[in-house]
Amino acid sequence: MGPTGLLTSAKLRMPVSESMAVRLRGISFVVERETAQITS
């Protein structure tokens, strides 16, 4: 794997990890909302 391969993988990894973090945040938000409705 040359320098260009490393660059593309780094470029690809950033948006993927960011979208994953956003998705996880959205999931945890939904879960919190659901549990709040159940407990109240």
Side-chain angles (χ1 to χ4, degrees), residues 2-37:
T4 50
L6 282 168
L7 265 174
T8 46
S9 68
K11 274 186 201 165
L12 283 171
R13 201 175 298 128
M14 280 308 297
V16 168
S17 59
E18 273 182 32
S19 64
M20 274 297 294
V22 169
R23 198 171 299 147
L24 279 173
R25 203 175 300 142
I27 290 169
S28 63
F29 172 73
V30 169
V31 169
E32 279 177 28
R33 206 176 52 190
E34 292 289 317
T35 49
Q37 284 178 356

